[in-house]
Amino acid sequence: MIAILVKATVVAALMLAAVGMLRRSRASVRHATLAAGFVVLLILPAASLWAPAMQIRVTRAASPSAPPPGAFAVPRPVGSVPPPPATNWLLLAYLAGAALFLSPAAAGLWRLSRIRRRALPWSAGQNLAGELAHGKRIEVLQSRELAGPIACGLTHPAIILPVDAGHWSEADLTRALLHELEHVRRFDWLTLCAARLLCAAYWFNPLVWMAWRRLGVEAERCCDDAVLQRSEAASYAEQLVELARRLGSSGAAPVPAMANASDLSTRVRAVLDAGQHRGPAGRRAIGMACAAAILALTVSTVRVVDAQEVPTSHFSAASRLVVETVYVHGGNGDTIEGLSANDFTIFEDGVAQKIMSFGFERLPQPRDGVSSYYTLGYYTTNNQMDGAFRRVQVICPKEPSARVEFRQGYYAGRPGAEQRTGNSVVTRAVTGVTAPALIFKKEPEYTEEARKAKYQGTVTLYVEIDATGAVTQARVLRALGLGLDEKAIEAVKRWRFRPAMKDGKPVATTAEVSVDFRLL
C-alpha cells in the first residue's frame, strides 16, 4: 500500500507539472493530459500487483538485528500470543477513509438523480438544443431546485435548466445550451464522476485531489472555448459572473455547473484573454498525452530491491532449494540463540553458498539441552543431477567455540529418476532409556508440488512409541512444507521399532525422528 501511495504521488505530481507547462496551450490539451493521468491512477494498483516488475537495485546498510534480503521472518516462540497485524489496522483505516470521502459523492449523485426525476420537460429548450446539436436529440428539462444549468447522464444525457430560464434572453439561453451541449459531447459527466471516485480511493493523497480540481476547471474552460466560437467574449464573461452570483446565493450544485464562484476569476480571465489558444485537442496532442500516460504507467512496475537480492529467474529449472537444520551449542551445552543469517556460512563441496532463507524456532519442550534450532536454505550452484553425494558444511564464525550440528550432506537426483526419500533416523531418545531400534520403515512419498520444485530438506517429528514399538502419536517440530510434512507423518505412523528398554523391560518412550527428503 505504501508503494502504491508513493507511485500515485509521483503520477499526480507529473500530471500537475505537465499542466503547468501547458498553461498557454488549449484547455482541451490540458484536460486530455489530466484525463490520461487519472486513467493511470485507475490502472496503477493492478499494474503494481500483476505487471512484470522493473527492478532498481540499491545497496543498503546491513542491520545487525534484521535478517538478510530474502530471509524468512523469525517465528515467535510457540505459545506466544501474536499482536494484531499492523497491516490489518492500516487496511481498516484506509477503508474507513475511502467510505468517508465516497459518501459525499454518492449523496451528490443521489440528489442529482432526484432532481432529474422531478424536473419537467421544456419543449422550447428542447427545440433550441436540437438546432444547436445539429438534430441530435438531447433531453432538456427545467427544475425549481437549481439556480444554474447542469448536464448529466451518459446513455441518456439531459440538460437541466432553472425554472426561470424561459425568461432569459435568446443569447443567454443559447450560450448556456452551447456550454452544456459541449459537456455532453465530451462525456464530461462520466469523466468527472470517475475521477471523483478515484479521489475517494486515493483520499490520503492531496495531489490527487488537486488534480481532480484542476480537471474540473479545464473541463469548464473547454466548454467556454466552444461557446466563444459563436459568441462575443465580454457578453459571455458577464453571463458567467451573473450565474456564479446566483449559484453562490442558492448553495452549491450537486455536479459541475456552468459557473461557480471558486474558479470564476480563472475562467473569466481566460475568456477575456484574446491571446489564449482555443479549440479541441488535435490528434497529435492526444497522442502525446497517451504516450505520457504509458510512460507514467511504467512507474507502477518499478520495484526497488536490495543489491544483494537474487531474483528467482537467476536459478535454472534444475536448481534445488536445500534446507539445513542447524543446532548451535555453547560451551556449557546450552543452545545459542539470537543469531542471524549473517552469522552463518554454508558450504557445499567446499563452495560457499548464498543463504536465501533463514528461520529460527523454539521447541515446545527443551530436550537433551536443545531448546531451539535454525533453518538455513540455499539454492545449490551445482545443478548436476548425477546422484553424487553433496557434502555440506555449516560454520558459525561469530561463535568459533560453539558446537554446530547439521546434516552432513545429501544425494543429488538423477535425471528422470523416481522421487524418493532418503535415510530416516531416530534421534534424541529420552535420557536413561535404551533408544528404540527401527526394524520396519515405510518410505514416504514425494508430493507432486515438491517433485516439480525439486525441493529437498528434512522434516523433524516428535513421536510417541508404545511398549510394543508402534508409533501412537506424531507431530511436526520442524516443517518442510509443500505437503511433505503430512507425507512424513503418514509414513512414520506405519513404522515399527524394537521397543525402548528400561531395566530389561519394554517401555513407552518419546523420540525425535528426522525424515530426509532427497532426490535419488
Side-chain angles (χ1 to χ4, degrees), residues 7-354:
K7 294 171 183 179
T9 301
V10 172
V11 172
L14 290 175
M15 278 196 291
L16 294 172
V19 169
M21 290 186 293
L22 295 170
R23 60 183 177 276
R24 298 303 301 173
S25 298
R26 297 180 177 90
S28 55
V29 174
R30 295 190 296 273
H31 184 273
T33 302
L34 290 166
F38 274 99
V39 171
V40 174
L41 292 176
L42 176 64
I43 303 174
L44 182 62
S48 298
L49 294 174
W50 295 306
M54 181 175 64
Q55 296 182 350
I56 298 178
R57 312 182 77 79
V58 297
T59 303
R60 63 179 174 90
S63 171
S65 60
F72 293 150
V74 176
R76 283 181 291 272
V78 175
S80 64
V81 179
T87 53
N88 290 347
W89 291 109
L90 288 176
L91 179 60
L92 289 175
Y94 166 76
L95 293 177
L100 178 65
F101 284 95
L102 186 61
S103 57
L109 291 175
W110 175 81
R111 182 187 173 199
L112 176 60
S113 176
R114 187 183 65 175
I115 290 175
R116 180 170 179 174
R117 288 195 307 268
R118 294 180 178 182
L120 300 175
W122 186 29
S123 58
Q126 182 84 52
N127 295 334
L128 180 57
E131 294 176 6
L132 297 175
H134 305 289
K136 182 178 180 181
R137 188 181 186 281
I138 304 295
E139 187 178 16
V140 178
L141 306 171
Q142 285 184 302
S143 173
R144 295 182 180 276
E145 302 178 63
L146 293 178
I150 60 172
C152 61
L154 179 60
T155 57
H156 301 287
I159 297 174
I160 309 177
L161 299 169
V163 71
D164 63 345
H167 303 293
W168 293 0
S169 67
E170 183 178 354
D172 286 348
L173 181 58
T174 298
R175 285 190 289 262
L177 289 174
L178 284 173
H179 184 100
E180 301 307 326
L181 285 170
E182 185 67 8
H183 275 308
V184 173
R185 186 189 70 82
R186 294 167 45 81
F187 300 99
D188 283 335
W189 188 81
L190 173 64
T191 304
L192 292 173
C193 287
R196 178 61 180 82
L197 294 178
L198 280 174
C199 286
Y202 291 97
W203 59 267
F204 44 76
N205 195 321
L207 292 182
V208 176
W209 288 97
M210 292 171 61
W212 172 72
R213 171 67 180 165
R214 190 61 185 268
L215 181 70
V217 173
E218 297 303 339
E220 295 299 326
R221 290 185 60 177
C222 289
C223 296
D224 292 342
D225 291 346
V227 174
L228 291 177
Q229 293 179 1
R230 303 176 61 172
S231 176
E232 195 269 331
S235 299
Y236 183 54
E238 183 179 351
Q239 183 179 359
L240 289 178
V241 173
E242 175 61 22
L243 284 173
R245 183 189 63 78
R246 294 180 58 179
L247 288 171
S249 61
S250 63
V255 293
M258 181 177 170
N260 58 74
S262 59
D263 57 20
L264 179 63
S265 59
T266 300
R267 292 176 58 193
V268 169
R269 282 198 303 269
V271 167
L272 297 177
D273 185 359
Q276 178 67 52
H277 297 287
R278 308 186 191 279
R283 292 182 178 178
R284 180 180 178 183
I286 294 177
M288 292 181 64
C290 294
I294 294 174
L295 181 63
L297 192 58
T298 59
V299 174
S300 64
T301 65
V302 173
R303 184 170 72 94
V304 178
V305 298
D306 192 277
Q308 301 298 321
E309 184 176 342
V310 180
T312 305
S313 59
H314 171 78
F315 305 105
S316 68
S319 295
R320 299 178 303 280
L321 177 65
V322 181
V323 181
E324 288 287 330
T325 300
V326 180
Y327 300 86
V328 183
H329 304 272
N332 57 0
D334 293 338
T335 304
I336 297 177
E337 299 183 357
L339 300 177
S340 69
N342 292 330
D343 299 323
F344 292 94
T345 304
I346 191 166
F347 299 88
E348 182 180 296
D349 290 340
V351 179
Q353 307 292 316
K354 181 174 179 59

Side-chain angles (χ1 to χ4, degrees), residues 255-508:
V255 293
M258 181 177 170
N260 58 74
S262 59
D263 57 20
L264 179 63
S265 59
T266 300
R267 292 176 58 193
V268 169
R269 282 198 303 269
V271 167
L272 297 177
D273 185 359
Q276 178 67 52
H277 297 287
R278 308 186 191 279
R283 292 182 178 178
R284 180 180 178 183
I286 294 177
M288 292 181 64
C290 294
I294 294 174
L295 181 63
L297 192 58
T298 59
V299 174
S300 64
T301 65
V302 173
R303 184 170 72 94
V304 178
V305 298
D306 192 277
Q308 301 298 321
E309 184 176 342
V310 180
T312 305
S313 59
H314 171 78
F315 305 105
S316 68
S319 295
R320 299 178 303 280
L321 177 65
V322 181
V323 181
E324 288 287 330
T325 300
V326 180
Y327 300 86
V328 183
H329 304 272
N332 57 0
D334 293 338
T335 304
I336 297 177
E337 299 183 357
L339 300 177
S340 69
N342 292 330
D343 299 323
F344 292 94
T345 304
I346 191 166
F347 299 88
E348 182 180 296
D349 290 340
V351 179
Q353 307 292 316
K354 181 174 179 59
I355 298 174
M356 296 300 299
S357 66
F358 174 79
F360 171 78
E361 186 69 47
R362 287 192 178 94
L363 298 176
Q365 295 180 350
R367 290 184 297 277
D368 296 341
V370 177
S371 59
S372 60
Y373 61 88
Y374 302 89
T375 56
L376 309 178
Y378 67 93
Y379 284 94
T380 175
T381 56
N382 186 346
N383 293 324
Q384 298 297 319
M385 308 283 284
D386 53 7
F389 183 77
R390 310 289 189 216
R391 187 169 300 279
V392 176
Q393 181 184 12
V394 181
I395 63 175
C396 184
K398 183 178 180 179
E399 302 288 344
S401 60
R403 178 167 53 90
V404 182
E405 295 182 7
F406 52 91
R407 184 180 59 163
Q408 301 297 317
Y410 67 96
Y411 287 92
R414 296 185 180 89
E418 183 182 359
Q419 307 292 331
R420 295 187 182 276
T421 55
N423 295 328
S424 302
V425 297
V426 178
T427 61
R428 293 184 173 83
V430 176
T431 304
V433 177
T434 303
L438 181 64
I439 57 178
F440 172 78
K441 179 177 66 175
K442 169 65 177 177
E443 295 286 359
E445 299 177 355
Y446 250 86
T447 62
E448 184 66 17
E449 295 85 354
R451 182 187 63 79
K452 291 181 179 179
K454 298 180 175 61
Y455 192 59
Q456 297 189 114
T458 301
V459 177
T460 304
L461 302 177
Y462 176 78
V463 300
E464 297 179 6
I465 305 171
D466 64 17
T468 67
V471 177
T472 57
Q473 295 291 334
R475 69 172 185 268
V476 177
L477 290 179
R478 209 276 292 177
L480 193 57
L482 296 183
L484 298 180
D485 307 327
E486 292 77 8
K487 291 295 185 181
I489 292 176
E490 179 183 331
V492 168
K493 284 187 174 181
R494 300 176 64 181
W495 290 4
R496 290 294 180 270
F497 293 85
R498 183 178 298 112
M501 304 295 290
K502 184 176 183 180
D503 299 331
K505 297 180 180 181
V507 295

